[in-house]
């Protein structure tokens, strides 16, 4: 084999490995937040009643902006065909792993404020949550 053929084989292998990494699913559901914000009820507390969902579809977060009350659990579901993230524009409140199609990420907002976020894989995808 000559050098040109070896170079092309190496390039193809790199593309294949990166492609597998990019689309490799991880665990199916992610929960973000400190243990105090865990949404699993104990014997002494009721289940979280306030919850809502955001769909990731067609390279958009829907609905966005989303207005909720403090204490609401928001679950993002990747209903798209490619991986996405839910990542805070400022700070680290929202920091999901890469969500493969069908995967979910949840976070309970305990403090009032505006939370802008984006997808790190597709930075043009923007979303927001307003907590009252």
């Amino acid at each position: 084999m000559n050098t040109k053929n070896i170079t092309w084989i190496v390039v193809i292998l790199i593309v294949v490995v990166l492609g597998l990494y990019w689309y490799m699913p991880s665990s199916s559901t992610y929960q973000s937040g400190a243990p105090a914000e865990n949404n699993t009820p104990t014997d002494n507390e009721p289940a979280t009643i306030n919850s809502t969902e955001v769909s990731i579809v067609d390279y958009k977060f829907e609905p966005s902006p989303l207005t909720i009350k403090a204490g609401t659990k928001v679950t993002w579901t990747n209903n798209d065909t490619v991986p996405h993230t839910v990542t805070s524009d400022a700070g680290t409140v929202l920091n999901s792993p890469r969500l493969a199609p069908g995967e979910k990420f949840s976070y309970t907002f305990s403090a009032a404020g505006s939370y802008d976020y984006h997808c790190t894989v597709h930075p043009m995808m923007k979303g927001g949550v307003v907590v009252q």
Side-chain angles (χ1 to χ4, degrees):
M1 283 189 156
N2 64 31
T3 306
K4 187 174 180 180
N5 288 341
I6 292 173
T7 302
W8 277 110
I9 290 171
V10 169
V11 168
I12 290 170
L13 286 173
I14 290 171
V15 168
V16 168
V17 168
L18 288 175
L20 289 174
Y21 170 77
W22 190 265
Y23 290 101
M24 184 170 54
S26 45
S27 124
S28 63
T29 303
Y30 301 99
Q31 180 66 39
S32 176
E37 296 178 335
N38 188 340
N39 292 306
T40 304
T42 66
D43 292 336
N44 299 329
E45 66 178 297
T48 302
I49 296 173
N50 296 329
S51 65
T52 191
E53 295 192 11
V54 173
S55 179
I56 305 171
V57 63
D58 296 328
Y59 294 86
K60 292 182 271 190
F61 297 103
E62 295 181 356
S64 181
L66 173 67
T67 302
I68 60 173
K69 294 189 182 297
T72 300
K73 175 183 175 182
V74 178
T75 300
W76 288 262
T77 303
N78 185 358
N79 294 313
D80 219 334
T81 58
V82 297
H84 294 292
T85 69
V86 179
T87 308
S88 292
D89 287 355
T92 59
V93 171
L94 300 172
N95 189 19
S96 78
R98 189 182 322 237
L99 303 173
E103 292 186 322
K104 298 174 184 269
F105 168 75
S106 295
Y107 183 80
T108 300
F109 290 87
S110 57
S114 291
Y115 300 85
D116 293 323
Y117 62 91
H118 63 280
C119 171
T120 57
V121 182
H122 308 98
M124 77 286 193
M125 290 176 58
K126 304 271 184 189
V129 176
V130 177
V131 182
Q132 300 175 334

